[in-house]
Amino acid sequence: MLKIENLHVKLEEEDKQILKGVNLEVGPGQVHAIMGPNGSGKSTLSYVLSGRDGYEVTEGAAHLDDLDLLGLEPEERAAAGLFLAFQYPVEIPGVSNMIFLRTAVNAQRKARGEAELSAAEFLKEVRTRAKTLNIDAEMLKRPVNVGFSGGEKKRNEILQMAMLEPRMCILDETDSGLDVDAMKLVADGVNALRSEGRSFLVITHYQRLLDHIRPDVVHIMADGRIIKTGGPELALEVENNGYADILAEVA
Amino acid sequence: MALPAKKRDDAAALLAAHPAPVGESRWATEAREQAAAWFLETGAPAARDEYWRFTNPATLISAEPPKGEAQPAEEPAIWSDVERIRIVFVDGVFRPDLSDDLAEENLTIEPLSDALSVDIHWARDVFGLLEGRGQAPVPRPLASLNTAVARQGMVIRATGKVSRPVAMRYLHEEDDCDAVIRHVIRVDEGASFTLLENGPAAARFNKCMEVEVADGAEFHHVRSQGREHERRAVTHIFARVGANALFKTFTMTANGRLTRNECVVEMTGDNGSAHIAGCCLGDGSFLHDDTVFITHDAEHCESRQVFKKVLRNGATGVFQGKILVKPGAQKTDGYQISQGLLLDDNSQFLAKPELEIYADDVACSHGSTVGAVDPTALFYLTSRGVPKDAAQDMLVLAFVDEAVQEIADERLADDIRARLQAWMARRRQG
């Protein structure tokens, strides 16, 4: 599904190398987690994969199945089935959540040569999905993320994911700023979307999200590289001993 | 300081090019003569004048109008679905044959030349008078020119709640047309009235409107200054707002080479409200100037100015907005915001917000910002699959929407939004 090879990335504005050769392959239907200390390059990886400006790929490649991701615009990557749930969902005053979501869904359908959803079809779909995430009609009408609580913003991300039905989902610290109940709600939303044809890359600091979203594979990232890969037990090791032991082990 | 000879000569040449009507009633003739005298005394505007520093008036004051090619009218006309009384002007001349029947409950509409020929007419308490009051402390010479020479326009009085808006449409056919239009409006105590305006009007357009909003009355004005690349326009609104009255005006401008919209409002009765808003989409050789002056001369009045300008390819936006709170105008609530959104590095937004306050118990706030499209918001939208152009349009519409929201009637606001969207889509298609 997602294959990242020897990816090197630096900041465009300054001569600072962030990713120093990342290799990663996520198979269909798999859930991979990336854990790592602050500044290890986890969020950069998610931004580079989704096409944010400001980064320069100096070496390496990233493919979504046969598609060369790095040559595409963000909207083309989205239409191809890539989705990034933001660590800090962006507030956009003046744009209604509903109109934004419908525009996005239909733009993607159009890009894929599918028929656009009518207003009624869309409304029915979004209401059903919103209900399971505990998102009320009022929240849908409000401007995108404006005045939303931390939990509401993250649930809104998952709603977008549910509506857009991507095949490759990247969750960038979706647990940050959430209390236990909110985290469970978000995790349930994610788990409901798990399927054979859909893969997840879950970026997190903490093991607790992985109690709810069980990963198949756990990677530890440090200083722009993946330094260790293992099963779910690796996350527990981090939880119990911190990153220091692992860093020392590979040093 | 003596008036520079050029200012006086320019004024004299303009008066010579636009002879005043003859044979009107005594009060109208006096008002016109007074305005002409004031125009000669203050002179035509010049680029060195304090309130013309950002907007060069040269093409507005040349005796001959600059070249301006008439372009086909936009179809369908805006507000097509709104029940309205249509009044059509072609090249600045009222065309009854293209207009609806002017009879309407609670409303009288007369052509300007008719009303100004009547010896006893309510318009004598408004015509030239509100314009004259608005000449100090800042002179508005092109409005006095309008009072002195305008032959066309409508004199409108609302005596109760008027159910349908009046929609003025200004069509432009003759390329180098130089049009002058004057409307005089009175909304009686407790009455309410909505005026809509649209169309390119002329190659050069001088339009002035006086609006008396009596106690407890409501006046709503929504204007769409349509697409025509070469259009040059100077417009003035002079309003006097009574106690518990509401005055609202909104203007959307797209295109046009030079547009100067002045709005001068005097709040004379307690608990009055005045909301002045506008947005523009400027592309290329485009200058759009909103010059607003609000005088608070009563207690517990509220005024809002909300202006949003989207500029690209070297377009210029200007905002000069002033709130004057006179002694005794306690509990004034004044708000002013002007914002420029620059879509490239060639465009500019120039703002001059002013507050002058002589009462000690007031709340006045003002803000002015200029910026580009937020790249983070743009990335967020595109990362969800929205193409970059559409995402930028969404953000532009969101930016101007604070101004559009000032329109009270949702149908009229939605028409403005639809028009903005259509203009942006057309721009992308080339």
Side-chain angles (χ1 to χ4, degrees):
Chain A
M1 176 73 71
L2 178 69
K3 191 173 183 188
I4 303 167
E5 295 160 281
N6 195 28
L7 189 63
H8 286 70
V9 172
K10 71 185 257 305
L11 292 180
E12 237 167 40
E13 299 274 310
E14 47 187 302
D15 195 26
K16 189 176 174 193
Q17 199 73 30
I18 310 285
L19 300 183
K20 301 171 180 173
V22 174
N23 289 288
L24 184 68
E25 190 166 354
V26 182
Q30 284 192 327
V31 175
H32 285 221
I34 297 185
M35 301 180 73
N38 288 326
S40 55
K42 306 186 300 293
S43 286
T44 296
L45 179 64
S46 72
Y47 287 142
V48 169
L49 290 174
S50 51
R52 188 172 188 156
D53 283 344
Y55 302 98
E56 188 187 331
V57 176
T58 51
E59 207 182 327
H63 286 85
L64 183 62
D65 292 331
D66 294 336
L67 210 60
D68 176 7
L69 278 179
L70 301 178
L72 301 178
E73 294 297 324
E75 62 267 31
E76 294 170 322
R77 301 181 198 205
L82 185 77
F83 181 92
L84 168 65
F86 281 52
Q87 181 179 3
Y88 304 108
V90 181
E91 297 190 5
I92 309 182
V95 175
S96 112
N97 214 12
M98 200 74 145
I99 288 171
F100 158 55
L101 202 47
R102 196 173 144 209
T103 308
V105 167
N106 279 335
Q108 288 203 17
R109 294 180 73 98
K110 202 174 157 190
R112 291 194 294 258
E114 299 164 13
E116 295 184 18
L117 287 183
S118 73
E121 287 167 330
F122 172 80
L123 201 64
K124 192 172 165 225
E125 183 78 19
V126 80
R127 278 191 181 144
T128 316
R129 304 274 195 179
K131 202 172 167 194
T132 59
L133 285 161
N134 218 352
I135 291 174
D136 60 23
E138 192 48 42
M139 224 173 109
L140 290 172
K141 273 191 252 164
R142 271 154 50 188
V144 179
N145 293 323
V146 176
F148 286 25
S149 70
E152 285 174 330
K153 282 181 181 169
K154 297 297 171 81
R155 274 184 277 147
N156 200 28
E157 293 291 287
I158 305 305
L159 174 66
Q160 291 170 28
M161 191 163 90
M163 289 300 296
L164 294 168
E165 301 183 320
R167 54 189 162 134
M168 182 68 230
C169 310
I170 305 170
L171 276 59
D172 186 8
E173 303 207 13
T174 293
D175 50 339
S176 70
L178 295 188
D179 61 32
V180 180
D181 292 337
M183 186 159 67
K184 186 159 186 322
L185 199 62
V186 165
D188 288 348
V190 172
N191 287 329
L193 293 171
R194 288 181 73 161
S195 73
E196 275 178 26
R198 182 172 292 137
S199 310
F200 291 83
L201 188 60
V202 180
I203 295 171
T204 179
H205 268 301
Y206 304 106
Q207 193 268 339
R208 46 176 199 171
L209 178 67
L210 304 178
D211 283 342
H212 300 287
I213 306 173
R214 307 288 300 178
D216 300 303
V217 180
V218 174
H219 308 275
I220 306 296
M221 193 165 180
D223 193 28
R225 286 185 198 90
I226 286 173
I227 56 166
K228 191 168 185 182
T229 296
E233 72 285 350
L234 192 53
L236 284 170
E237 193 186 324
V238 169
E239 180 76 359
N240 294 330
N241 307 328
Y243 292 111
D245 287 3
I246 298 169
L247 292 175
E249 185 184 317
V250 297
Chain B
M1 201 170 70
L3 187 67
K6 186 178 182 313
K7 284 171 73 79
R8 192 186 52 233
D9 294 348
D10 284 343
L14 276 165
L15 284 171
H18 299 273
V22 289
E24 291 180 338
S25 67
R26 193 181 168 81
W27 60 268
T29 307
E30 278 174 9
R32 289 191 187 279
E33 287 170 358
Q34 215 174 339
W38 171 256
F39 185 45
L40 286 170
E41 198 180 309
T42 50
R48 297 180 64 171
D49 294 354
E50 176 62 21
Y51 283 88
W52 289 91
R53 277 168 47 210
F54 302 137
T55 301
N56 188 334
T59 53
L60 296 174
I61 61 167
S62 56
E64 286 288 311
K67 297 276 173 216
E69 191 189 341
Q71 290 166 348
E74 280 188 275
E75 293 299 343
I78 193 168
W79 302 309
S80 298
D81 298 333
V82 177
E83 269 290 308
R84 65 207 194 280
I85 305 159
R86 289 171 298 182
I87 298 178
V88 177
F89 291 81
V90 177
D91 294 332
V93 178
F94 171 49
R95 288 282 296 272
D97 55 317
L98 302 175
S99 304
D100 289 336
D101 179 9
L102 301 184
E104 175 78 4
E105 197 181 349
N106 295 327
L107 194 67
T108 56
I109 307 174
E110 302 161 79
L112 182 76
S113 52
D114 292 2
L116 265 50
S117 300
V118 179
D119 283 337
I120 297 173
H121 196 287
W122 61 264
R124 71 180 294 172
D125 296 329
V126 182
F127 178 72
L129 203 106
L130 296 193
E131 174 262 304
R133 292 176 69 92
Q135 293 288 345
V138 181
R140 322 215 175 247
L142 294 174
S144 43
L145 171 69
N146 185 296
T147 301
V149 308
R151 292 158 181 265
Q152 291 285 333
M154 288 293 162
V155 173
I156 300 175
R157 182 173 190 175
T159 52
K161 290 209 182 321
V162 182
S163 60
R164 293 190 295 167
V166 164
M168 307 267 194
R169 190 164 185 216
Y170 309 110
L171 299 177
H172 179 200
E173 287 180 0
E174 192 194 318
D175 280 352
D176 302 336
C177 165
D178 192 11
V180 181
I181 286 185
R182 174 55 153 268
H183 302 309
V184 181
I185 298 168
R186 183 185 155 85
V187 189
D188 283 353
E189 246 184 89
S192 69
F193 173 60
T194 299
L195 177 69
L196 310 175
E197 293 182 287
N198 78 300
R204 184 166 71 181
F205 191 35
N206 178 331
K207 204 210 70 182
C208 179
M209 178 161 93
E210 289 162 306
V211 189
E212 177 90 70
V213 190
D215 293 352
E218 274 188 30
F219 174 75
H220 297 264
H221 176 227
V222 183
R223 169 166 63 169
S224 161
Q225 292 176 314
R227 285 176 92 248
E228 196 162 291
H229 300 300
E230 295 300 318
R231 172 178 45 78
R232 289 166 168 91
V234 56
T235 78
H236 289 85
I237 299 172
F238 294 94
R240 186 159 58 181
V241 182
N244 301 301
L246 173 64
F247 168 85
K248 276 178 99 72
T249 175
F250 171 89
T251 301
M252 167 182 66
T253 311
N255 239 309
R257 182 152 295 204
L258 190 162
T259 309
R260 163 88 161 208
N261 293 327
E262 296 201 25
C263 185
V264 183
V265 180
E266 201 181 352
M267 318 280 298
T268 56
D270 294 347
N271 295 302
S273 293
H275 302 161
I276 298 118
C279 68
C280 74
L281 300 181
D283 194 344
S285 175
F286 169 99
L287 187 147
H288 189 276
D289 174 336
D290 283 293
T291 294
V292 180
F293 197 113
I294 300 181
T295 303
H296 282 266
D297 198 11
E299 291 188 4
H300 289 279
C301 289
E302 172 232 8
S303 71
R304 294 170 60 81
Q305 302 170 54
V306 182
F307 288 90
K308 303 271 187 159
K309 300 184 190 234
V310 183
L311 306 160
R312 60 161 58 206
N313 290 324
T316 300
V318 176
F319 173 76
Q320 309 184 96
K322 177 154 183 173
I323 304 173
L324 169 64
V325 181
K326 288 203 167 176
Q330 300 297 9
K331 304 289 180 190
T332 287
D333 179 1
Y335 173 74
Q336 180 196 89
I337 182 89
S338 64
Q339 295 182 305
L341 181 66
L342 307 185
L343 298 184
D344 55 38
D345 293 340
N346 305 325
S347 305
Q348 57 176 343
F349 176 60
L350 306 165
K352 191 170 99 172
E354 291 178 277
L355 294 178
E356 195 177 333
I357 301 173
Y358 298 101
D360 58 8
D361 188 10
V362 304
C364 285
S365 61
H366 68 95
S368 188
T369 66
V370 58
V373 168
D374 176 6
T376 309
L378 200 59
F379 173 61
Y380 190 67
L381 295 176
T382 53
S383 79
R384 298 304 183 244
V386 181
K388 196 173 176 187
D389 282 343
Q392 181 159 307
D393 285 0
M394 278 176 108
L395 294 174
V396 166
L397 282 174
F399 169 76
V400 300
D401 209 61
E402 189 189 348
V404 179
Q405 283 171 18
E406 292 292 317
I407 301 170
D409 186 331
E410 264 310 303
R411 292 172 312 163
L412 301 178
D414 283 343
D415 274 356
I416 290 284
R417 291 185 182 105
R419 189 53 56 114
L420 284 165
Q421 231 154 4
W423 278 338
M424 287 195 293
R426 181 157 41 192
R427 188 205 69 228
R428 275 209 310 277
Q429 286 152 15

